[in-house]
Amino acid sequence: MLVWGSFIGLIIIFLALDLGVFHKHEHVIKTKEASIWTAVWVTVALSFSGVIYWLFSNNIIDNPTGLTPNDAVLKYITGYLIELSLSVDNVFVIAVIFSAFKIPAIYQHRVLFWGILGAIVFRAIMIVFGVALITKFDWIIYVFGVFLLYTAFKMLKSDNSEFDPKKSFVFKRLKKIYPITATINGHDFFVKRMGVTAATPLFVALVIIELTDILFALDSIPAILAITADPFIVFSSNILAILGLRSMYFLISRMLEKFRYINYSLVVILAFVGLKMLFSHHIEIPEWVSLTVISVSLVGGIIFSLLITEEKGK
């Protein structure tokens, strides 16, 4: 519990520094700043693999799945890369939501900060239940495997441009249960006028981002559980990837046109992890193979996106 408490405390410190010090004054985050912060978060996450090795080599943390220190590090990095790659798809949806509700660039970091804070809480709950299910019921891994294959198929056939936040079920329900104003009042989530408190577009965007992240977690958490059922590795790799999502959004949201083929990378990753789950009791796939497939898929998607022009793609 001391290790878990220390890790959660570290995350709280990171978040407090982020909002209270580094982004105390709201400003539009430029590409250079986003690049620096993305590099910082990736460095922090990869450096944490050293902490994982230390914890497992000295038996400081529970090791319910009997991992060696080297295996623990490999599984942590693989889980982190899976969550990071699946977060790319989340970036596309966040960009659509901000565009639909006309959220000014200067307030987008604030919305994402509170959105990711909520995401950490919801994902922690989902990870606890997911690990408990896999630990107690071996057959649940087949359910997760089929679900991931179905998600990969849906992603292959879908088009992100079809998503309209203003026509979503969440937005329609929110309008019925709480007054909503189209006016943006600084960074406020609520505004009071003529005695009526109404939610601003910032709050509406926050709610929809929060709920869509839960939907994305339904894919990413089973995908990490295919790599390991160790709760600390699943939790730490997932949360550290989520913490870097804000800077990643500001870095690649301006380059969405260039990453046209990244969705195919995600399809390959989800399909591979789904198949790995289905055959987990019959074939043992080494961790380096998983790491290679994920890395090659991501790099391949980026290279194809950069090399193939839109005209050639058509």
Side-chain angles (χ1 to χ4, degrees):
M1 292 307 295
L2 181 61
V3 174
W4 281 85
S6 299
F7 179 74
I8 293 170
L10 185 66
I11 298 304
I12 293 171
I13 291 171
F14 283 158
L15 290 170
L17 287 172
D18 191 337
L19 191 65
V21 178
F22 298 115
H23 296 95
K24 185 176 182 180
H25 302 290
E26 288 163 341
H27 61 281
V28 177
I29 298 177
K30 304 290 186 182
T31 303
K32 182 181 178 181
E33 183 182 354
S35 302
I36 293 171
W37 276 109
T38 299
V40 167
W41 285 118
V42 171
T43 302
V44 168
L46 293 179
S47 299
F48 194 75
S49 60
V51 177
I52 294 290
Y53 184 89
W54 175 68
L55 290 173
F56 280 82
S57 61
N58 291 285
N59 297 317
I60 296 173
I61 193 168
D62 287 339
N63 189 1
T65 55
L67 296 174
T68 65
N70 288 331
D71 284 342
V73 169
L74 269 178
K75 288 180 181 295
Y76 165 78
I77 293 175
T78 306
Y80 173 73
L81 286 180
I82 285 178
E83 180 57 44
L84 202 64
S85 58
L86 294 179
S87 294
V88 173
D89 206 42
N90 207 348
V91 167
F92 284 75
V93 176
I94 291 171
V96 173
I97 293 170
F98 280 155
S99 176
F101 293 104
K102 296 180 174 58
I103 306 299
I106 195 171
Y107 303 131
Q108 289 178 5
H109 181 273
R110 179 179 171 83
V111 175
L112 285 178
F113 173 86
W114 292 107
I116 284 170
L117 189 62
I120 289 173
V121 175
F122 285 120
R123 283 173 184 249
I125 295 169
M126 294 173 75
I127 287 168
V128 169
F129 279 103
V131 170
L133 282 172
I134 283 186
T135 304
K136 192 166 185 178
F137 306 106
D138 283 346
W139 53 266
I140 203 74
I141 199 166
Y142 297 121
V143 177
F144 286 160
V146 171
F147 177 72
L148 290 178
L149 287 175
Y150 173 70
T151 304
F153 176 76
K154 271 181 57 180
M155 188 178 288
L156 185 64
K157 295 292 184 182
S158 68
D159 181 5
N160 282 326
S161 62
E162 295 173 359
F163 176 64
D164 185 355
K166 289 189 174 181
K167 293 181 181 178
S168 66
F169 173 79
V170 176
F171 180 68
K172 290 176 181 177
R173 294 301 302 171
L174 198 59
K175 281 179 68 177
K176 289 183 178 180
I177 62 176
Y178 204 87
I180 294 176
T181 177
T183 305
I184 292 178
N185 186 42
H187 64 214
D188 295 334
F189 288 118
F190 297 94
V191 62
K192 190 170 184 178
R193 289 183 180 170
M194 295 184 289
V196 177
T197 302
T200 66
L202 267 69
F203 181 76
V204 178
L206 172 63
V207 171
I208 296 178
I209 286 173
E210 200 72 72
L211 293 176
T212 52
D213 181 77
I214 292 174
L215 294 177
F216 277 109
L218 293 176
D219 302 333
S220 64
I221 290 175
I224 296 180
L225 289 173
I227 304 302
T228 178
D230 184 277
F232 186 73
I233 291 178
V234 174
F235 182 70
S236 57
S237 60
N238 199 281
I239 298 308
L240 286 172
I242 285 295
L243 285 176
L245 179 59
R246 288 158 302 163
S247 53
M248 185 190 293
Y249 166 78
F250 291 108
L251 177 62
I252 70 175
S253 62
R254 299 177 179 92
M255 300 185 289
L256 294 180
E257 296 283 329
K258 294 183 180 179
F259 293 98
R260 296 185 306 280
Y261 296 102
I262 201 73
N263 262 19
Y264 294 103
S265 300
L266 305 183
V267 169
V268 172
I269 292 170
L270 285 174
F272 170 76
V273 175
L275 290 172
K276 183 178 180 180
M277 277 187 151
L278 290 178
F279 295 106
S280 60
H281 292 152
H282 310 286
I283 303 172
E284 186 174 347
I285 300 175
E287 217 50 63
W288 66 266
V289 173
S290 302
L291 203 54
T292 303
V293 170
I294 293 164
S295 303
V296 170
S297 300
L298 273 178
V299 173
I302 293 170
I303 290 174
F304 277 113
S305 298
L306 295 175
L307 293 181
I308 301 177
T309 61
E310 192 170 355
E311 289 74 19
K312 287 182 180 178
K314 289 180 181 178

